[in-house]
Amino acid sequence: MLQPTMNQIWENLEKLSITSLEFIAIEHLQYSNFKIFGYWDENDNFYDEVILKQPLYVDLASYSVGKNLQGNPQEYWIKLKFLLIPDVEISAESEKSLITDNTIGEMTLILDANFKFIDEIWSIDINSPFIITQFPKNH
C-alpha cells in the first residue's frame, strides 16, 4: 500500500472547504454527545464530565500537517484546531468581539492522512455559563 506524501496530504486538505472541515468537528462532538470525559483544567482540577451546552458552533482556527517522528516515519498526521462558540443572538456590529468573548474553548482533532481520528486535545473555559461540569463523586 502506498503511503501519501506530505504534498498529497496538503493538496487533499486544501481541496476541502472550511465547512467540510468544520463538519468533521461537529460530527465528532455529536458522536461524543457534546461531552468530554476525564478533563483536567489549567489549575489541575479534574472533572469526571464536561458538558458543552447546545446549540454550539465550531470555527476552524488553524490546520497543519506533520510527520511522525517515532514509529513509522512514513506516517503523517493532520491537526485541525477549532474554536467552540455558543449559538447566541448577536448584532452585526458586536459580532466580532462577541465571538472572541464567548468562545468557550478549543478542540483540536488529530487525524491520520486518511482523515481518521487519532486523538483530541481540549482547552475549555470551565467558568463559562455554556459549560456544565461534574466533579468526581468523592470530591
Side-chain angles (χ1 to χ4, degrees):
M1 182 161 113
L2 291 175
Q3 293 289 333
T5 66
M6 178 80 79
N7 287 340
Q8 290 169 328
I9 295 169
W10 272 112
E11 286 173 17
N12 290 341
L13 187 58
E14 290 174 350
K15 285 179 189 175
L16 295 172
S17 68
I18 290 175
T19 304
S20 297
L21 296 173
E22 290 172 347
F23 184 72
I24 291 171
I26 292 295
E27 274 189 325
H28 185 77
L29 289 168
Q30 288 172 341
Y31 181 77
S32 66
N33 203 21
F34 294 87
K35 294 179 182 179
I36 304 166
F37 296 98
Y39 179 74
W40 291 92
D41 71 8
E42 66 277 354
N43 297 318
D44 282 338
N45 295 315
F46 180 77
Y47 301 86
D48 274 344
E49 188 174 87
V50 175
I51 301 168
L52 309 171
K53 289 185 182 179
Q54 301 307 300
L56 183 69
Y57 285 116
V58 296
D59 184 28
L60 180 65
S62 66
Y63 58 90
S64 59
V65 176
K67 188 175 186 178
N68 286 341
L69 298 177
Q70 299 174 350
N72 184 350
Q74 296 304 313
E75 293 179 1
Y76 295 93
W77 48 259
I78 300 166
K79 186 185 286 187
L80 305 173
K81 183 177 180 178
F82 301 93
L83 300 177
L84 304 172
I85 304 164
D87 182 9
V88 293
E89 201 158 313
I90 53 180
S91 64
E93 65 271 359
S94 67
E95 181 173 347
K96 190 167 236 158
S97 67
L98 189 61
I99 285 178
T100 15
D101 293 345
N102 278 343
T103 300
I104 60 174
E106 297 173 357
M107 174 182 69
T108 302
L109 297 179
I110 301 171
L111 312 170
D112 70 11
N114 297 310
F115 290 88
K116 298 218 182 322
F117 177 79
I118 296 174
D119 202 0
E120 61 192 359
I121 302 167
W122 297 92
S123 177
I124 302 296
D125 177 4
I126 293 298
N127 298 314
S128 169
F130 301 100
I131 297 290
I132 300 169
T133 59
Q134 293 180 1
F135 283 103
K137 293 185 184 355
N138 61 357
H139 187 269

